[in-house]
Amino acid sequence: MFQIGDNIVYPMHGTGIIEAIEEKEISDRKEQYYVIKMSISHMKVMIPTRKMSKSSIRPVTNILALKNVLHIFQHGKSDHLLSWKERYTINTNKLKTGNIQEGAEVVRDLMRMKKEKALNATEKKMLEHAHEYLLSELEVIEGITDNQIQSFC
């Protein structure tokens, strides 16, 4: 599914790069693992290759899909009528999908709210993390311009 050198997105952790595919023996069972170096935390993660298709790990978005995400980021509607607890649950679920569009919606909505009033500590932390995850993906998309990255700041 993935090759050494591929950039991937690991939901709730940001982007990483497949550094190796290694065979390990654990509990008398040999299995192949992807060795992924995460760009934000710099930790290494090992995921069995057989479980990769069932995980939410995905390839980095391409530039064509990013244009749609940018449009939604700039022009999409935000729902300000929800309580912060409802927003938190919805936003957490969006971030868990690993979908760039849903992550961008979380960043957009929280940035808009921040302009209107101060966010509570939980939402402020969520905005910081979601923004960091989004930027980590934007930085590795082939063909992206600095202006496109700045559109998400």
Side-chain angles (χ1 to χ4, degrees), residues 102-152:
E102 292 193 16
E105 288 172 3
V106 171
V107 173
R108 174 199 67 204
D109 294 347
L110 291 175
M111 286 175 83
R112 286 178 180 172
M113 289 188 63
K114 184 178 176 184
K115 287 180 182 176
E116 295 173 13
K117 63 178 183 173
L119 297 175
N120 66 40
T122 303
E123 287 185 310
K124 188 176 183 179
K125 190 172 211 168
M126 178 178 273
L127 174 57
E128 289 171 10
H129 287 266
H131 197 240
E132 186 176 38
Y133 304 150
L134 178 62
L135 289 178
S136 77
E137 181 168 5
L138 294 175
E139 291 170 354
V140 295
I141 294 175
E142 289 186 32
I144 193 168
T145 66
D146 287 339
N147 285 342
Q148 288 170 315
I149 292 174
Q150 289 303 312
S151 298
F152 290 94

Side-chain angles (χ1 to χ4, degrees), residues 4-88:
I4 295 171
D6 286 352
N7 287 305
I8 56 91
V9 176
Y10 194 153
M12 305 293 288
H13 297 283
T15 59
I17 187 165
I18 308 266
E19 287 193 328
I21 301 171
E22 298 179 357
E23 186 171 272
K24 298 280 184 187
E25 186 174 334
I26 299 175
S27 301
D28 296 328
R29 184 175 173 193
K30 286 187 179 183
E31 194 164 4
Q32 286 200 329
Y33 290 83
Y34 286 109
V35 179
I36 304 167
K37 180 163 186 195
M38 303 307 300
S39 62
I40 294 172
S41 64
H42 304 290
M43 70 178 176
K44 286 193 179 182
V45 178
M46 293 180 67
I47 300 174
T49 56
R50 67 178 170 78
K51 291 187 175 184
M52 196 65 111
S53 63
K54 294 177 185 158
S55 75
S56 296
I57 294 174
R58 63 171 174 79
V60 169
T61 301
N62 65 41
I63 192 71
L64 295 175
L66 182 66
K67 291 181 182 187
N68 182 47
V69 172
L70 182 58
H71 178 77
I72 290 168
F73 186 81
Q74 293 173 338
H75 303 291
K77 296 193 184 283
S78 301
D79 187 354
H80 296 289
L81 301 177
L82 300 173
S83 71
W84 80 266
K85 287 182 182 180
E86 291 170 316
R87 270 193 317 273
Y88 180 79

